[in-house]
Amino acid sequence: MSWSCRHGDALPGGASSVGAGLVAREFADADLNRLTREAAALLPTDLLRYPLVSPGERLPFVAADARAFGSREPATRTESFAALLQGAAYVERLCFDYVDLLGAPTDGAVVLSGGATRNPLWNQLRADVLQRPVTLPRNAQPALGMAVLAASSSEPLESVAASMVRLDRTLEPRR
């Protein structure tokens, strides 16, 4: 999972070692649509999971020896999947809270991108855990963000983004 937030004219960003890579590794043979439907009935789950893809963490804290963990063994593969989605959403929330603690503004729009945006349950869960609306662009490929940054070298970032990024829909958080 990686993300950026606006701070003045800069976009400080970070990349955590949790996220969709673990879905690809642990659930490569699964029917993700079916697993997502089944996981929806389990959320929120009391199984807490810090879903690191590999040893080491870099955001929201730096710990070369950090390891993935769970509060207990999952009862089913579906529960493991639900806890992974929930854990990644909570790590994202921890990142926002940490940046806020450091004094950087964290208000404004949250636009999701990357492969995880293909999972509607995960998108809604992220809005719910963040307790703020999240917007999905029509083109959620992370490379688009890099193209926007590259194009903004000679024009204001806001106008470049407005001309290049088309938004699809916004998900409102549930309590």
Side-chain angles (χ1 to χ4, degrees):
M1 168 181 59
S2 64
W3 62 281
S4 298
C5 62
R6 184 173 167 212
H7 181 62
D9 292 326
L11 286 173
S16 176
S17 297
V18 305
L22 200 55
V23 173
R25 185 174 76 210
E26 289 188 12
F27 301 96
D29 63 337
D31 176 344
L32 292 180
N33 291 327
R34 182 183 57 77
L35 200 55
T36 296
R37 285 190 307 274
E38 293 171 358
L42 300 177
L43 289 168
T45 177
D46 67 344
L47 171 56
L48 301 178
R49 188 168 178 201
Y50 197 92
L52 284 173
V53 175
S54 59
E57 182 58 284
R58 54 199 169 169
L59 182 78
F61 53 85
V62 177
D65 59 345
R67 300 281 186 268
F69 66 87
S71 60
R72 62 174 170 76
E73 287 298 313
T76 64
R77 192 168 190 215
T78 301
E79 184 181 40
S80 179
F81 182 71
L84 187 160
L85 300 181
Q86 180 176 272
Y90 279 124
V91 170
E92 185 170 37
R93 171 67 184 261
L94 182 59
C95 292
F96 271 95
D97 288 349
Y98 184 61
V99 168
D100 182 61
L101 179 71
L102 294 174
T106 57
D107 57 340
V110 175
V111 179
L112 305 179
S113 66
T117 60
R118 292 188 299 262
N119 186 307
L121 175 64
W122 206 352
N123 295 331
Q124 185 63 57
L125 183 61
R126 292 169 75 184
D128 296 346
V129 170
L130 290 172
Q131 275 302 285
R132 55 195 295 176
V134 298
T135 300
L136 298 167
R138 285 187 199 149
N139 178 352
Q141 295 301 315
L144 179 59
M146 294 308 296
V148 169
L149 288 174
S152 70
S153 64
S154 60
E155 295 181 46
L157 180 61
E158 293 82 5
S159 63
V160 171
S163 70
M164 293 178 69
V165 178
R166 298 290 174 254
L167 301 179
D168 185 30
R169 67 190 179 284
T170 299
L171 304 172
E172 295 296 328
R174 303 171 298 192
R175 298 295 294 152

